[in-house]
Amino acid sequence: MTTIKEVAKMAGVSIGTVSNVLNGKTNNIELIDRVEHAMKELGYRPDANARSLKSEKSGLIGFVLPNATNPENASLLSHIQSRLSEKGYSILLFFSQNNKLLEKKAIEKCLEKRVDGIILFSSLKRKKEVITEKEGTPIVMVSYSEERTITGDAIILDYSRAFEQILNYYERKGKTNVALIIDESFYQNEEVIGIYIKRYGEKGLLKISDYSKERGFKAAYELFFQHPEIDAVISGNFLIAEGVEKAIKLLKIEDIEVAVLKEGNWIEDEATFPVQISFSQKKIAERVIEKTLDAIENPKTHEPVVERIHAEYKETRTVLYGVERNRSTANLKFALYESPTSISLKMLAEVYAQQTGTIIEVDLYKYDELEHCVHSISDSSSSLYDGVMMDITWIDELVRHNVLAPLDQSNIDFQGFIPGLEQQCGVVDGKYHAVPVMSGTQLLFYQKDLFENESLKRQFARTYGNELTVPQTWSQFNIIAEFFTRAYNSKSPTTYGITSVSGENIYTTISYLNRLWSYGSDVFDDNGKVLINNRTSLTALMNFVNSSKYSSSQQLYSWDGVVEDFKKGHSAMTILYDSYANELNDYTKSKVAGNLGVGYIPGGTPVLGGWSLGVNKNSTNIEEVIKFLTWVSSDHAVIPLALLGGSTLRKSYYESNDLEDSYPWKNKVLDSYRKSRKRILPNVKINNKGRNYIYSHVISKEITAAVSGQISEEQALLNIEQTINRLMDENK
């Protein structure tokens, strides 16, 4: 291994100077460049153990896990490693194989390596042994049952409530001989075993296996052979369940259901497991890391607590649940906004057509084209389209002009949407007129490794005097964007700081509104008076114009263009609606997949977006259109829609564990929606273009001119004010 002495020799400096560079104790750029060049040439990596002798911190967290064969454990390991890496820590990993001796040795090895803390996932039964925070090293235990054998923090994975729900489900189905096949570690969960025995007694239907498919097959085969009366099975994990399914198939047993304790996965669950109980391994990891780091970094104020996390019970229904074939066929035609969700809807409609006989035709339009299309329906009372997709800001106007049929008497489950959004995205004058179908809240996406790189952190601190962190304000956003733009920082690993939309379009205006609202201004006041031309709006616009210097030189006129550019990995950050983000984490299409950090947008005022589907009042197939909308907006269609690249506003999707690994921004969407705001529109129709014309063209035209340097920021705001007032005066 290269030593610090060799680095000093190549750089022509003392060992002390190299140490000062590593610890950020010098601002001498010439020395820093020489030392960092030598480190790169020699492949030098600081010795964490040696540095910990001085800093009293090793940067290591010990993690003792039963095994990685169980998919649940592998998922937990992945999430913990990822979160610790974000916090600057590394994992020292050991497997206990559910063996008390191996577990004890693993803890001792962790202490020998001077780890800063230990995470112990243990399912072993203890009677007298007490695990203590030896030598002041915090220990956080994760366990299936609560035992007073640890003096530190503990997280109890509580299956009891969900397990009771599975038994109730089988009781409703008339199942009276339910077998339970679990591995040895889960058998230690006395509470769950007690619930099972209380319900079914000692029938000999409980079998202990290990966590493999083969053992699950053997246990199930033996049970079915000895007890042919078995009419349902509960499997302790997914591998056991696969073995059970194999035994059922081999023995040709019919009408038997298998429930499973596993992390949710719609692809394998939808057809195989009618019910399941699961934990979000991502949420467990977050709680474990929070407790561990608080104990390490705040030893004087940290208070050890035992916390329970309850498993989630879920009944898995088929995509076409409740959908029946129509007595007569119909052809329905929709005008949709060209977007990932619309393309997904188009593909998913094929499944609906096969089941019902109703053919769904789709025409895709760009934003301005679709806006013109729906307003032409208003002007001509056309029945060309049975259903239309609309930006949520168009809905009021379309209802006023008698385009949309009311939906308040339909069977659509409006209460199942994110609370409040069914009002924003579909209600006019107290009646439902549209179904929310495409989500629309903004998030900050960034390349995680850039914010975790120690060399970049040191450089940023030297340059700006602040820590390199995910930006919370727009001023921080621009500073970080400048740092990651090679034209302003020759050492930047990325060409640009940000990828952003540009040009005269609604997307550019939305990007400006984020800043405008954050700084405390708006386009209109509550009475509809234009107020955009003020000092606060000017500050926001200057920030926006400044951001453009750090953006990709390619002209990007849509969110799709932003996605395509950011996927290449040439920029550090982007701000994007969640409904467009799916491809960012697709390893086959994106260079930032697996390295995707997600946060809330700077300033905390995202522009509420989203799209809804409505029924054309002039359609001759209103009843059939409502049937399709009822299905496509239901909980049953949510997962396949998301997997095909679409998005949803169904509350159940964001509250469940489904697709958390594929879409790491999913758990931030609800909070972001709570902060989102809907843009204000004046109560006038402008030039037969709709009120939204002010945002899609008037504002974006002037701020685009300011970005290109054609006019000043002051002139842009004055032009916006004067143009809006003129349009409003002309159309009173």
Side-chain angles (χ1 to χ4, degrees):
M1 291 178 62
T2 304
T3 66
I4 193 171
K5 184 176 180 180
E6 291 170 298
V7 172
K9 182 178 180 181
M10 174 174 273
V13 299
S14 67
I15 293 175
T17 298
V18 176
S19 179
N20 287 338
V21 170
L22 288 172
N23 294 305
K25 294 182 178 180
T26 178
N27 291 318
N28 188 317
I29 301 300
E30 190 267 335
L31 287 179
I32 291 168
D33 287 344
R34 283 160 58 187
V35 170
E36 290 189 342
H37 175 74
M39 289 168 59
K40 184 177 181 179
E41 287 294 310
L42 295 170
Y44 174 75
R45 296 288 182 273
D47 186 334
N49 288 329
R51 295 180 71 186
S52 69
L53 294 174
K54 296 181 179 180
S55 67
E56 298 183 352
K57 289 286 178 65
S58 66
L60 287 174
I61 304 292
F63 187 20
V64 184
L65 194 62
N67 60 76
T69 308
N70 187 334
E72 310 289 295
N73 293 345
S75 177
L76 180 62
L77 171 60
S78 175
H79 286 299
I80 284 183
Q81 188 278 329
S82 177
R83 292 304 301 271
L84 282 177
S85 178
E86 291 174 13
K87 300 294 183 179
Y89 288 88
S90 299
I91 282 180
L92 186 62
L93 179 64
F94 295 93
F95 295 113
S96 69
Q97 306 300 339
N98 290 317
N99 181 293
K100 187 175 290 188
L101 180 60
L102 292 179
E103 186 179 275
K104 184 178 180 181
K105 286 184 176 181
I107 293 173
E108 294 300 327
K109 283 287 186 182
C110 287
L111 295 173
E112 286 177 17
K113 295 292 184 180
R114 303 182 70 253
V115 297
D116 297 327
I118 298 173
I119 300 168
L120 173 62
F121 192 146
S122 178
S123 54
L124 296 173
K125 187 70 176 176
R126 292 180 170 80
K127 294 183 179 179
K128 296 182 180 179
E129 180 188 7
V130 176
I131 298 176
T132 60
E133 295 189 352
K134 298 180 181 181
E135 302 177 15
T137 303
I139 298 179
V140 177
M141 175 184 276
V142 182
S143 178
Y144 292 122
S145 58
E146 185 172 352
E147 299 181 59
R148 299 181 183 181
T149 59
I150 183 169
T151 60
D153 291 278
I155 291 179
I156 310 303
L157 306 182
D158 192 338
Y159 281 98
S160 58
R161 184 188 301 170
F163 190 79
E164 192 87 59
Q165 288 177 289
I166 278 190
L167 300 187
N168 291 339
Y169 167 84
Y170 278 144
E171 189 172 288
R172 292 194 302 271
K173 300 276 286 187
K175 308 291 185 181
T176 57
N177 294 289
V178 179
L180 176 61
I181 305 176
I182 52 177
D183 61 81
E184 177 65 34
S185 62
F186 193 80
Y187 185 67
Q188 306 298 334
N189 194 323
E190 294 180 348
E191 188 172 6
V192 170
I193 300 302
I195 291 171
Y196 175 79
I197 292 175
K198 183 179 179 180
R199 187 74 67 102
Y200 296 106
E202 301 284 355
K203 292 184 178 182
L205 304 184
L206 193 159
K207 196 83 168 177
I208 308 300
S209 176
D210 67 11
Y211 39 82
S212 69
K213 301 175 187 179
E214 293 77 13
R215 295 292 185 182
F217 168 79
K218 181 176 183 294
Y221 200 100
E222 290 174 349
L223 276 175
F224 292 141
F225 186 79
Q226 296 164 3
H227 299 276
E229 71 275 14
I230 290 174
D231 50 17
V233 179
I234 302 173
S235 301
N237 64 49
F238 176 58
L239 296 180
I240 291 175
E242 284 195 315
V244 172
E245 288 288 342
K246 187 69 175 178
I248 290 172
K249 184 180 293 186
L250 191 63
L251 291 169
K252 298 181 179 179
I253 302 174
E254 297 181 356
D255 194 29
I256 189 166
E257 290 188 356
V258 179
V260 64
L261 283 61
K262 64 180 288 293
E263 191 169 25
N265 184 324
W266 178 83
I267 291 293
E268 62 199 22
D269 300 338
E270 197 268 346
T272 309
F273 307 114
V275 288
Q276 66 179 48
I277 56 180
S278 63
F279 286 101
S280 163
Q281 301 302 322
K282 184 176 182 179
K283 291 172 184 172
I284 294 172
E286 288 172 350
R287 296 300 301 135
V288 167
I289 298 303
E290 184 176 328
K291 286 178 176 291
T292 304
L293 296 189
D294 188 58
I296 292 169
E297 296 169 3
N298 304 294
K300 293 183 179 179
T301 58
H302 179 77
E303 295 179 331
V305 173
V306 175
E307 175 183 343
R308 282 182 180 268
I309 299 179
H310 291 276
E312 175 185 295
Y313 167 82
K314 180 180 179 182
E315 294 183 19
T316 307
R317 290 175 173 168
T318 62
V319 175
L320 292 168
Y321 178 83
V323 176
E324 299 177 353
R325 188 165 190 85
N326 295 329
R327 294 179 180 178
S328 59
T329 59
N331 282 18
L332 304 180
K333 195 168 184 179
F334 284 81
L336 304 182
Y337 170 53
E338 189 175 318
S339 63
T341 295
S342 296
I343 294 169
S344 302
L345 282 170
K346 184 178 181 179
M347 290 190 288
L348 200 59
E350 293 293 326
V351 177
Y352 184 82
Q354 291 172 16
Q355 178 73 4
T356 64
T358 298
I359 305 301
I360 310 292
E361 296 181 43
V362 169
D363 286 341
L364 299 175
Y365 291 96
K366 296 190 182 301
Y367 189 94
D368 286 347
E369 295 171 343
L370 183 58
E371 188 171 19
H372 175 76
C373 176
V374 296
H375 284 294
S376 67
I377 293 174
S378 169
D379 295 335
S380 63
S381 299
S382 170
S383 60
L384 174 62
Y385 291 106
D386 299 286
V388 294
M389 193 172 182
M390 65 215 93
D391 188 330
I392 60 173
T393 58
W394 305 350
I395 298 173
D396 286 14
E397 198 167 4
L398 294 176
V399 172
R400 303 274 185 264
H401 291 87
N402 213 29
V403 174
L404 300 178
L407 301 173
D408 50 313
Q409 299 301 315
S410 70
N411 292 322
I412 296 170
D413 177 21
F414 285 99
Q415 301 310 308
F417 294 105
I418 297 172
L421 289 186
E422 83 286 358
Q423 298 288 324
Q424 299 268 31
C425 304
V427 174
V428 178
D429 295 334
K431 292 184 178 180
Y432 292 109
H433 286 85
V435 180
V437 71
M438 176 175 165
S439 60
T441 190
Q442 294 171 297
L443 294 166
L444 173 70
F445 297 88
Y446 59 93
Q447 296 197 56
K448 282 196 301 185
D449 66 322
L450 300 178
F451 289 81
E452 297 169 3
N453 185 286
E454 293 300 325
S455 178
L456 291 173
K457 285 182 178 181
R458 290 194 298 269
Q459 185 189 352
F460 187 87
R462 290 194 302 267
T463 306
Y464 299 100
N466 295 312
E467 183 183 357
L468 176 60
T469 59
V470 178
Q472 303 296 312
T473 68
W474 288 111
S475 59
Q476 291 175 345
F477 180 77
N478 279 358
I479 288 173
I480 293 170
E482 179 185 67
F483 178 71
F484 283 117
T485 302
R486 198 165 295 148
Y488 297 88
N489 172 18
S490 62
K491 295 184 179 180
S492 172
T494 56
T495 309
Y496 305 104
I498 54 177
T499 294
S500 60
V501 75
S502 56
E504 183 183 332
N505 52 62
I506 185 65
Y507 319 111
T508 296
T509 302
I510 286 171
S511 298
Y512 172 54
L513 288 180
N514 290 330
R515 294 159 173 82
L516 186 68
W517 292 348
S518 172
Y519 282 89
S521 188
D522 208 331
V523 180
F524 302 95
D525 63 17
D526 293 337
N527 298 316
K529 181 182 177 182
V530 182
L531 58 76
I532 193 171
N533 189 17
N534 59 60
R535 291 297 304 174
T536 303
S537 300
L538 179 61
T539 302
L541 184 53
M542 291 173 70
N543 178 280
F544 179 82
V545 171
N546 194 33
S547 290
S548 66
K549 298 187 298 186
Y550 315 123
S551 184
S552 170
S553 58
Q554 184 179 351
Q555 293 295 301
L556 306 171
Y557 301 110
S558 67
W559 301 124
D560 290 312
V562 170
V563 169
E564 287 304 312
D565 189 79
F566 190 68
K567 286 193 306 185
K568 298 173 184 176
H570 298 325
S571 59
M573 303 178 290
T574 191
I575 290 172
L576 190 67
Y577 278 105
D578 65 295
S579 50
Y580 286 84
N582 291 358
E583 283 195 0
L584 293 182
N585 209 41
D586 185 337
Y587 289 83
T588 66
K589 299 178 180 179
S590 172
K591 291 184 178 180
V592 301
N595 185 36
L596 197 62
V598 185
Y600 303 110
I601 74 167
T605 55
V607 178
L608 179 64
W611 291 75
S612 298
L613 282 172
V615 182
N616 183 358
K617 208 169 187 177
N618 304 305
S619 170
T620 58
N621 297 298
I622 289 179
E623 184 178 341
E624 294 305 321
V625 179
I626 291 176
K627 284 183 181 179
F628 176 69
L629 295 188
T630 302
W631 173 71
V632 84
S633 65
S634 70
D635 288 337
H636 318 310
V638 160
I639 300 299
L641 183 64
L643 286 171
L644 290 172
S647 62
T648 179
L649 286 163
R650 297 298 293 179
K651 178 176 61 176
S652 62
Y653 172 73
Y654 297 101
E655 292 179 342
S656 73
N657 303 332
D658 295 309
L659 306 186
E660 284 187 330
D661 292 344
S662 298
Y663 309 134
W665 54 88
K666 182 172 168 276
N667 65 344
K668 294 187 182 298
V669 167
L670 291 181
D671 281 340
S672 185
Y673 265 119
R674 295 185 187 103
K675 303 172 184 176
S676 297
R677 290 172 52 183
K678 194 173 180 179
R679 53 193 184 272
I680 300 172
L681 293 171
N683 193 25
V684 292
K685 187 172 183 178
I686 299 173
N687 292 348
N688 298 316
K689 296 178 182 294
R691 297 175 295 164
N692 191 57
Y693 180 76
I694 289 173
Y695 289 95
S696 60
H697 292 279
V698 173
I699 297 175
S700 62
K701 176 182 178 181
E702 300 301 333
I703 61 178
T704 298
V707 166
S708 65
Q710 298 175 40
I711 60 176
S712 67
E713 290 92 339
E714 291 88 350
Q715 187 64 49
L717 295 178
L718 178 60
N719 291 351
I720 292 170
E721 178 185 48
Q722 292 177 343
T723 303
I724 295 176
N725 281 327
R726 176 176 54 79
L727 289 171
M728 292 176 68
D729 289 340
E730 291 173 355
N731 292 274
K732 283 184 178 179

